[in-house]
Amino acid sequence: MTAEHQAEHDYGAIPGGVVEPPVVVLPERRLFSHRARRLRDLSRRMRSMADFLGFAARLAQAQHQVLQKRTSTFQPDSQAFDLALEHGMPPLSVQSLQADLDWQEDLDALCDALELNVGQAQQQLIRQLRQLDHGARREIATEVLNAGRGTQDTRAFMPLVAAVLQVAWLRQCSVLPRPPKRAEGTAQTVCPCCGALPVASLIQVGRERSRVRYMQCSICAAEWYMERARCTTCFETGKLDYVGLEGEDGKRPLPIRAETCGDCQSYVKIIHRDTEVDADALADDLASLGLDIMIARERDIGRSSYNPWLIAG
């Protein structure tokens, strides 16, 4: 594959018109099922990544099963939600709710749903994860929620723990009484619902959101509006470039490019659902690992988003 560059700023529309697009959108409970289907499709298309994406598909399907079958014992205080929403604070802060949500029970259920559907190497990893005490699991969860890389001993467990944290937070986020308001200033770089980093940005589809760009949270999957042609980290506009990959046939294998910023030396991926309606932020980010590798080789810039299923040493 080769690099593809484009300087035109055609990556999403500004909200306006008869129907005003929402600035924050809460996730649907079907998200994990849709993600699993997308990952299965990508595993067939990206042959060199078939095993990796196939495992990710089974993990997403296990997330869906846990979300549908298990009811959380956590009973949120609606008044606390109202207070946070009123004052523009993330109502589901990953820092304050980690000790409250019963994600450890979700983790056991996820292991049950996943263990019989993976290979021996993954089964051994699941058994080792089961043997960790709650304190060790909490340390891994803290690393994930802080967008860390973990240690050599814990790194392999992080995608599994991240998957169950996504279940726990999406469950709560999907039933918030109302979406939070759009954040102001630098707070726009993190999720308005839980305060976590985005996994990528999406050019959305649909009557209310056609060609509007949203960031999607790496933990709770909430989406928030972000202007086009504007760095999602420093908000500057003058040194943006768009980089993608081309196959030998000159076509893009995935509906995705990276928006790079020369002002803050960072980049975020933009995934075009207006090109492929089934595209998924986390799934397509995983499948486009080659784009991250190319950028790392060619440019001295860092990724400003976080995919907790893609932990590298």
Side-chain angles (χ1 to χ4, degrees):
M1 294 183 180
T2 59
E4 171 195 18
H5 299 267
Q6 180 168 327
E8 291 83 0
H9 301 318
D10 60 350
Y11 294 92
I14 298 173
V18 177
V19 179
E20 190 75 13
V23 293
V24 178
V25 179
L26 302 180
E28 296 183 356
R29 291 177 66 90
R30 298 173 295 174
L31 180 139
F32 298 131
S33 178
H34 292 167
R35 180 168 291 164
R37 184 164 60 248
R38 177 64 174 178
L39 283 162
R40 288 192 292 269
D41 175 61
L42 291 171
S43 70
R44 291 187 289 267
R45 290 166 54 177
M46 311 295 289
R47 305 298 297 178
S48 63
M49 301 182 69
D51 291 343
F52 173 62
L53 295 174
F55 172 75
R58 290 187 286 275
L59 181 56
Q61 189 62 42
Q63 286 180 298
H64 175 71
Q65 293 176 25
V66 174
L67 183 64
Q68 297 302 316
K69 294 181 179 181
R70 186 177 177 277
T71 301
S72 173
T73 59
F74 174 70
Q75 296 296 324
D77 184 344
S78 61
Q79 291 184 344
F81 281 165
D82 288 339
L83 186 63
L85 291 168
E86 180 182 349
H87 292 278
M89 300 172 62
L92 297 170
S93 169
V94 293
Q95 303 303 325
S96 61
L97 281 188
Q98 181 183 345
D100 295 328
L101 296 184
D102 53 343
W103 61 267
Q104 300 248 17
E105 287 76 7
D106 283 328
L107 181 55
D108 293 330
L110 183 84
C111 290
D112 290 340
L114 187 62
E115 193 167 18
L116 297 180
N117 296 308
V118 296
Q120 292 185 353
Q122 290 85 12
Q123 289 178 4
Q124 181 179 359
L125 182 67
I126 291 170
R127 287 194 293 269
Q128 292 172 347
L129 181 57
R130 286 185 187 274
Q131 293 170 1
L132 295 179
D133 61 33
H134 281 202
R137 292 178 176 187
R138 281 195 297 271
E139 290 180 3
I140 298 172
T142 298
E143 193 70 14
V144 171
L145 296 176
N146 289 334
R149 295 182 178 274
T151 67
Q152 185 174 355
D153 294 332
T154 64
R155 198 166 290 134
F157 299 124
M158 289 180 68
L160 297 175
V161 174
V164 80
L165 294 172
Q166 290 170 334
V167 171
W169 259 269
L170 185 144
R171 180 191 287 123
Q172 300 300 327
C173 189
S174 66
V175 296
L176 281 174
R178 62 184 184 275
K181 300 176 183 178
R182 187 190 185 195
E184 300 293 335
T186 58
Q188 295 176 48
T189 60
V190 297
C191 175
C193 289
C194 74
L197 287 173
V199 63
S201 64
L202 292 162
I203 303 303
Q204 275 293 1
V205 294
R207 185 174 65 89
E208 293 185 345
R209 299 202 287 164
S210 178
R211 292 188 55 78
V212 179
R213 180 165 78 161
Y214 287 81
M215 311 303 292
Q216 186 178 96
C217 180
S218 60
I219 299 298
C220 75
E223 297 179 11
W224 64 100
Y225 165 69
M226 183 65 71
E227 291 87 353
R228 63 177 183 175
R230 179 189 184 198
C231 176
T232 62
T233 300
C234 70
F235 310 122
E236 295 295 331
T237 61
K239 297 181 181 180
L240 298 180
D241 186 22
Y242 296 88
V243 185
L245 293 173
E246 285 186 348
E248 295 180 357
D249 58 0
K251 298 180 179 179
R252 280 188 287 164
L254 294 169
I256 188 168
R257 287 177 179 167
E259 180 181 77
T260 68
C261 178
D263 282 300
C264 67
Q265 300 298 308
S266 73
Y267 74 95
V268 67
K269 290 180 182 175
I270 303 178
I271 297 162
H272 279 260
R273 295 195 69 219
D274 55 343
T275 301
E276 291 190 34
V277 69
D278 292 332
D280 174 84
L282 185 143
D284 285 63
D285 181 46
L286 291 178
S288 60
L289 177 60
L291 181 56
D292 297 280
I293 295 173
M294 184 196 73
I295 292 174
R297 289 174 176 171
E298 295 184 359
R299 304 188 181 200
D300 186 22
I301 61 176
R303 178 179 166 125
S304 60
S305 58
Y306 179 68
N307 189 331
W309 289 20
L310 192 60
I311 308 298

